[in-house]
């Protein structure tokens, strides 16, 4: 497997508040409510005249002769609510059309025929259900209830008015909008296990790296603080352009920018270490996890600068472990890197290279290094975006490499001392008949020679790891350190054999 190094339209607002769906239709002329039914408080009627009792044609006048032609007195002015007559005069509150009755459905709709007192009321926008005026009820406990309600309304009005007055007197801006404190965002506390909390702690220890070659070529990648001395871990392909007389800079999320230099790089591992010039004294290295203990399904958090967008955080899970990956920078002279990688579906794009892959606790479990590209029909070198297949160097391996680079400036590789085919294969890693540049396929006196391996042998396992190709074998060997003892399973002449060997070492990218 080879990979690429990755260096509703808003609806219009309604013109009026919505009408409730479950509004009951108004009764044109319903029966009077029962005397024990609860009394609905009436809204105040602006300009309404006091109630006048109706004259009884059969009753004698207690103070003298029958009233003259001026009785009953003239009707008072028509109230503005569209009522046919003033409340209590001759008929209940606009009798003939009870508050928009007579077929109209809602407040402000055309009123029905007016009562004895006046014409129909005005029209207006429909905001709600119709209102049915209840008939008058006998006096008694209801009067006390009404008095209590009135007192409560008065008290509520006084309280509301007092509150409004106090708020207005203390509002220097003239606005009645209630806003959160400016420092409210800083006071939000998030649990340690949340992605926001992990990102907040990790971001200050990540940098965006800009590499520029002497010929003007360059690119952008990511790195993270490895120690308090100013060492930053990243990918080899991130800094490759600046290796021969180029320029490196590292920028922190707070905007602080530092010149940097390459301490060492390992092309085969795709790991590099740079050091800040005049580093700050407040550097906080990221905690390193244990990539061997990572399990498929564990949460992952990736930080980087995809397509130059610094300080970007994405999330996902571990999709697979020990994924054999042969990656390159796509150049004609670039040599491949071989990884036994952590696979994640967290979005990783060009620019995420060298950034940390974190677990749910915020510990670094890998270095984001490669993505699958569809630009060439599979794995290739185009600048395609994430399709959910990203690969990271396990931190256990990267830590060892970084320490070697800081100490000596050169990488150290484990080896078996045999040349294997890197062509397509599914059967295993075959030891070639001849080594590179005419050398022997099996190094004389090397680990493979001492273990009895010969040209033509096909290695199918290294310890319990199935080996299906040469790149898979190389990537798996490089997860070990020189001096580690491993068990090799191989086939010779159709027969399966096993042998133990102690891994040797190779210094530098030869």
């Amino acid at each position: 497997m080879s990979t690429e190094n990755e260096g509703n339209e808003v609806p219009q607002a309604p013109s009026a508040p919505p009408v409730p769906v479950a509004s009951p239709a108004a009764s044109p002329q319903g029966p009077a409510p029962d005397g024990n039914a609860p009394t609905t408080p009436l809204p105040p009627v602006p300009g309404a005249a006091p109630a006048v009792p109706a004259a009884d044609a059969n009753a004698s006048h207690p103070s003298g002769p029958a009233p003259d032609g001026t009785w009953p007195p003239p009707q008072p002015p028509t109230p503005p609510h569209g009522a046919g007559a003033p409340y209590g005069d001759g008929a209940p509150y606009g009798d003939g059309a009870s508050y928009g009755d007579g077929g109209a459905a809602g407040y402000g709709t055309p009123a029905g025929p007016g009562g004895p007192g006046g014409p129909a009321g005005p029209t207006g926008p429909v905001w709600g259900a119709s209102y049915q005026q209840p008939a008058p009820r006998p006096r008694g406990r209801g009067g006390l209830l009404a008095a209590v309600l009135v007192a409560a309304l008065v008290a509520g009005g006084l309280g509301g008015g007092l509150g409004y007055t106090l708020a207005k007197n203390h509002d220097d801006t003239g606005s009645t909008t209630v806003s959160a404190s400016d420092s409210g965002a800083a006071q939000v506390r998030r649990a340690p296990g949340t992605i926001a909390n992990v990102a907040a702690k990790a971001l200050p220890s990540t940098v965006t790296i800009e590499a520029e070659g002497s010929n003007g070529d360059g690119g952008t990648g990511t790195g993270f603080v490895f120690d308090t001395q100013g060492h930053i871990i990243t990918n080899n392909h991130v800094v490759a352009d600046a290796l021969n007389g180029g320029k490196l800079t590292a920028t922190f999320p707070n905007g602080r920018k530092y010149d940097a230099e390459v301490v060492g790089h390992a092309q085969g591992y795709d790991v590099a270490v740079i050091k800040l010039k005049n580093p700050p004294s407040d550097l906080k290295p990221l905690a390193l996890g244990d990539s061997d203990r990572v399990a498929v399904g564990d949460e992952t958090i990736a930080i980087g600068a995809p397509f130059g967008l610094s300080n970007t955080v994405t999330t996902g899970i571990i999709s697979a472990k020990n994924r054999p990956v042969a990656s390159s920078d796509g150049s004609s002279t670039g040599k491949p890197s071989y990884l036994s990688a952590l696979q994640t579906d967290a979005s990783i794009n060009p620019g995420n290279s060298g950034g940390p892959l974190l677990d749910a606790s915020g510990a670094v479990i890998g270095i984001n290094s490669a993505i699958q590209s569809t630009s060439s029909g599979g794995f290739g070198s185009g600048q395609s975006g994430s399709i959910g297949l990203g690969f990271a160097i396990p931190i256990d391996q990267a830590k060892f490499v970084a320490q070697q680079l800081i100490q000596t400036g050169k990488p150290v590789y484990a080896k078996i001392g045999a040349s294997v085919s890197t062509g397509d294969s599914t059967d295993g890693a075959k030891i070639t008949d001849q080594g590179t540049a005419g050398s022997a396929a099996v190094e004389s006196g090397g680990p493979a020679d001492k273990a009895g391996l010969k040209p033509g042998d096909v290695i199918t396992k290294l310890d319990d790891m199935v080996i299906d190709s040469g790149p898979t074998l190389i990537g798996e060997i490089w997860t070990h350190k020189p001096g580690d003892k491993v068990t090799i399973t191989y086939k010779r002449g159709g027969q399966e054999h096993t042998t133990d060997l102690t891994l040797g070492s190779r210094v530098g990218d030869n």
Side-chain angles (χ1 to χ4, degrees):
M1 176 185 296
S2 61
T3 63
E4 167 198 352
N5 292 126
E6 40 75 34
N8 305 350
E9 182 181 359
V10 179
Q12 184 176 359
S15 58
V19 178
V21 176
S23 301
S27 172
Q29 197 74 20
D34 181 76
N36 295 323
T39 302
T40 304
L42 298 178
V45 182
V52 179
D56 187 349
N58 297 321
S60 60
H61 201 283
S63 60
D68 56 18
T70 62
W71 185 265
Q75 296 291 340
T78 302
H81 287 278
Y87 178 52
D89 186 274
Y93 198 51
D95 191 19
S98 59
Y99 206 56
D101 193 8
Y107 172 49
T109 56
T123 63
V126 177
W127 278 12
S130 61
Y131 177 86
Q132 174 67 40
Q133 173 65 35
R137 53 175 296 173
R139 294 189 178 185
R141 295 176 60 186
L144 177 60
L145 176 60
V148 172
L149 289 174
V150 170
L153 290 173
V154 171
L158 288 175
L162 179 60
Y164 171 78
T165 302
L166 292 175
K168 184 175 182 181
N169 290 340
H170 287 80
D171 187 359
D172 297 330
T173 64
S175 171
T176 58
T177 302
V178 178
S179 300
S181 170
D182 292 340
S183 61
Q187 296 174 357
V188 175
R189 296 183 180 275
R190 292 177 173 84
T194 62
I195 294 172
N197 182 273
V198 170
K201 290 183 177 180
L203 276 169
S205 297
T206 62
V207 296
T208 299
I209 298 173
E210 294 181 2
E212 182 180 344
S214 56
N215 59 357
D217 293 338
T220 301
T222 309
F224 61 92
V225 177
F226 184 63
D227 58 29
T228 58
Q229 285 72 49
H231 290 108
I232 305 292
I233 292 185
T234 186
N235 284 143
N236 174 75
H237 73 266
V238 168
V239 303
D241 287 327
L243 288 178
N244 299 312
K247 181 181 178 181
L248 276 178
T249 60
T251 305
F252 286 86
N254 61 8
R256 292 185 301 177
K257 189 172 186 177
Y258 298 87
D259 290 332
E261 60 184 354
V262 177
V263 172
H265 62 99
Q267 178 271 323
Y269 292 120
D270 197 19
V271 174
V273 176
I274 67 175
K275 186 176 182 181
L276 305 178
K277 297 179 180 179
N278 301 316
S281 59
D282 59 349
L283 290 176
K284 294 182 179 179
L286 289 181
L288 304 184
D290 185 347
S291 50
D292 280 346
R293 300 181 63 183
V294 169
V296 172
D298 281 351
E299 291 182 317
T300 58
I301 302 169
I303 299 179
F307 298 102
L309 300 175
S310 300
N311 315 317
T312 296
V313 178
T314 56
T315 65
I317 62 169
I318 292 293
S319 304
K321 294 181 62 177
N322 304 310
R323 182 70 75 192
V325 172
S327 64
S328 71
D329 59 9
S331 66
S332 58
T333 59
K335 296 180 180 180
S337 301
Y338 297 102
L339 311 176
S340 181
L342 296 175
Q343 179 181 323
T344 180
D345 66 348
S347 293
I348 296 176
N349 291 284
N352 275 104
S353 288
L357 184 68
L358 310 172
D359 63 16
S361 70
V364 181
I365 55 175
I367 301 176
N368 302 317
S369 181
I371 60 173
Q372 181 174 2
S373 169
T374 58
S375 60
S376 59
F379 291 94
S381 59
Q383 288 286 301
S384 62
S386 172
I387 58 173
L389 291 173
F391 305 96
I393 305 165
I395 195 59
D396 291 354
Q397 178 184 18
K399 177 182 177 182
F400 169 75
V401 176
Q403 290 171 337
Q404 292 294 322
L405 293 176
I406 292 172
Q407 291 172 10
T408 68
K410 295 182 179 181
V412 178
Y413 297 89
K415 69 172 187 177
I416 64 170
S419 296
V420 295
S421 172
T422 57
D424 292 337
S425 173
T426 58
D427 297 329
K430 182 179 180 180
I431 299 178
T432 59
D433 294 331
Q434 189 173 9
T436 59
S439 63
V442 178
E443 179 186 333
S444 177
D449 186 28
K450 292 180 179 179
L453 294 174
K454 297 180 179 180
D457 290 345
V458 179
I459 298 174
T460 58
K461 279 187 179 182
L462 190 152
D463 290 334
D464 294 328
M465 180 62 59
V466 174
I467 303 300
D468 59 2
S469 66
T472 301
L473 176 63
I474 297 172
E476 186 60 27
I477 290 173
W478 286 354
T479 64
H480 293 75
K481 300 177 179 63
D484 286 353
K485 293 182 178 181
V486 296
T487 299
I488 298 293
T489 302
Y490 64 97
K491 289 183 178 180
R492 179 186 296 169
Q495 300 295 317
E496 188 173 86
H497 307 272
T498 61
T499 185
D500 295 332
L501 63 77
T502 300
L503 295 174
S505 66
R506 172 171 64 86
V507 178
D509 286 312
N510 298 327

